[in-house]
Amino acid sequence: MKRRDFVKNSTLGTITTLMGIELVFGKVIPKGYTPLALQDSDPFKLFNKDKGMTVLNDKPWNIEATAHLLDDKITPNSSMFIRNNGLLPENTEAKTWTLEIDGESAEQLKKYTLKELKSKFKHHTYQLTLECGGNGRSEFNPPAKGNQWTLGAVSCAQWTGIRLKDILEDVGVKSDAVYIGYHATDRHLSLNPEKEPISRGVPMSKAMQEETLLAFKMNGEDIPLAHGYPLRLVAGGWPASTSGKWINRLSIRNIVHDGAKMTGSSYRVPCEPVAPGKKISDNDMCIIESMPVKSLITYPKTGAILKKGQVLELRGHAWAGELSVSKMDYSIDFGASWTECLIEKPKNRLAWQHFSVKINDFPIKGYYEVWARATDSQGKSQPMLLPGWNPKGYLNNACHRIAVKIS
Ligand SMILES: Nc1nc2c(c(=O)[nH]1)N[C@H]1C(S)=C(S)[C@@H](COP(=O)(O)O)O[C@H]1N2
Ligand SMILES: [Mo]
């Protein structure tokens, strides 16, 4: 859908959210008229994104950051990737928003208004790493279909909300509960209201973690429209597809949730390693849970030029799904030898960690590459070039590399 059509089909509430300012006299705007502030806009303006972001698709919107745009310790909206499977919801009015809880394993059916959720349950704030399962897909060979994410489908923002477990306890969970499935108000590309663009979830053990939130704030403000306003699930450290945006219903399931993109080969990888290009039956594909260890050099930009003798101050972030990062190394000789970097402790569990190092051992003038490699708390390190191939191109956690010229 063209941005203009989106605006045309939006309610006043959504337009107000997009503009970030109250539309005075909005109620009397002629039907179908697009306010000037939103005319001739572009995705960067529409979503308040940095012009340096890359638009991979506009129907649905899929926009990624570059490595150096992710330099902040806490990712601002301006450089947070957008991954949509469908069209933005038509109505995101917070005042009338409700959350329904149902499912075979719910003790009762319950419906909360957003206001009730905010007043009834304690608020918690965590920094949570969200990485799309397909981040890095563009490097796989044979290539996988889907958005060709490079490096920038990852973020770590500060999320505020209520614990999913607090709501589940309030509703009552039967002992046979297995999974929580989310339902949201975004629209299927076909515009068929019977179809959901995505309806995934997490097993009970993840749902009951302290850091698993139903969030209504991101970085201290209302969640931006594209990121799930007014209510989203945030399950840090897991493929970000489990963090449903625009949530209006949660189902407590007595089976592994079977919503859209839970079944078949979606967000699944071969249970056992396979040769590149091999055909795999759905039965041999397993749901991705905790994301693998990974890191990103956010400074300097690839292509940096330094004078001989000048110190290179390298920095970035590292994360490891449910685990933490215990060691960070860099190499200037294509992985032949590695030197340790400083790695900070995470702000809280499931937050990415910051690394830094001063490099001054480039022996002579010339072309170098600086490679970064994180090791998780169980001793597993990132692969140097590519991890095992999988048909959908998920989980590429290869070492990030930047080019450096010493002149
Ligand atoms: N309702 C809904 N939730 C969703 C999606 C979606 O399309 N619809 N995309 C998922 C996927 S695949 C990812 S990677 C993350 C992206 O979150 P972001 O756009 O806030 O960065 O949202 C997830 N939650
Ligand atoms: Mo994703």
Side-chain angles (χ1 to χ4, degrees), residues 32-71:
Y33 176 77
T34 304
L36 290 176
L38 293 177
Q39 285 183 22
D40 304 318
S41 184
D42 55 28
F44 306 102
K45 277 196 198 148
L46 189 60
F47 301 118
N48 278 312
K49 297 295 172 189
D50 192 290
K51 287 266 187 212
M53 303 269 296
T54 311
V55 177
L56 301 181
N57 195 350
D58 64 356
K59 195 188 175 180
W61 287 112
N62 284 289
I63 302 177
E64 76 167 329
T66 58
H68 70 274
L69 284 177
L70 292 167
D71 194 40

Side-chain angles (χ1 to χ4, degrees), residues 81-83 85 132 184 186 198 227 232 240 243 245-246 267:
F81 76 99
I82 299 177
R83 185 347 179 189
N85 289 266
C132 180
D186 48 342
I198 188 168
H227 298 292
R232 91 171 288 178
S243 293
K245 306 190 275 191
W246 314 291
Y267 300 103

Side-chain angles (χ1 to χ4, degrees), residues 62-120:
N62 284 289
I63 302 177
E64 76 167 329
T66 58
H68 70 274
L69 284 177
L70 292 167
D71 194 40
D72 298 88
K73 291 197 163 180
I74 297 178
T75 311
N77 175 52
S78 58
S79 46
M80 179 179 280
F81 76 99
I82 299 177
R83 185 347 179 189
N84 289 344
N85 289 266
L87 303 171
L88 286 163
E90 270 186 307
N91 186 347
T92 54
E93 207 95 52
K95 277 192 207 121
T96 53
W97 197 268
T98 55
L99 175 73
E100 242 177 302
I101 315 282
D102 64 10
E104 309 88 355
S105 299
E107 292 280 7
Q108 54 179 326
L109 297 183
K110 210 157 170 173
K111 193 173 189 169
Y112 301 92
T113 64
L114 184 56
K115 213 172 142 199
E116 276 168 345
L117 289 176
K118 288 185 186 175
S119 59
K120 189 167 178 159

Side-chain angles (χ1 to χ4, degrees), residues 232-337:
R232 91 171 288 178
L233 202 58
V234 189
W238 282 42
S241 53
T242 59
S243 293
K245 306 190 275 191
W246 314 291
I247 295 300
N248 68 347
R249 181 156 74 94
L250 292 172
S251 299
I252 311 176
R253 306 297 314 270
N254 64 2
I255 54 163
V256 172
H257 183 55
D258 51 0
K261 308 215 167 165
M262 274 305 297
T263 54
S265 57
S266 290
Y267 300 103
R268 291 179 186 231
V269 289
C271 304
E272 302 295 336
V274 298
K278 189 167 185 267
K279 276 231 174 316
I280 301 129
S281 83
D282 285 354
N283 288 337
D284 296 324
M285 299 282 277
C286 285
I287 299 174
I288 301 168
E289 299 199 328
S290 176
M291 293 291 285
V293 62
K294 194 164 171 180
S295 60
L296 190 68
I297 300 167
T298 59
Y299 184 87
K301 258 190 216 185
T302 188
I305 300 174
L306 275 82
K307 290 216 165 63
K308 176 87 182 82
Q310 206 182 331
V311 177
L312 174 65
E313 300 201 20
L314 193 84
R315 62 172 181 262
H317 318 292
W319 59 98
E322 283 287 318
L323 304 175
S324 61
V325 175
S326 54
K327 195 165 164 286
M328 190 69 214
D329 296 283
Y330 76 90
S331 174
I332 60 166
D333 55 9
F334 299 101
S337 67

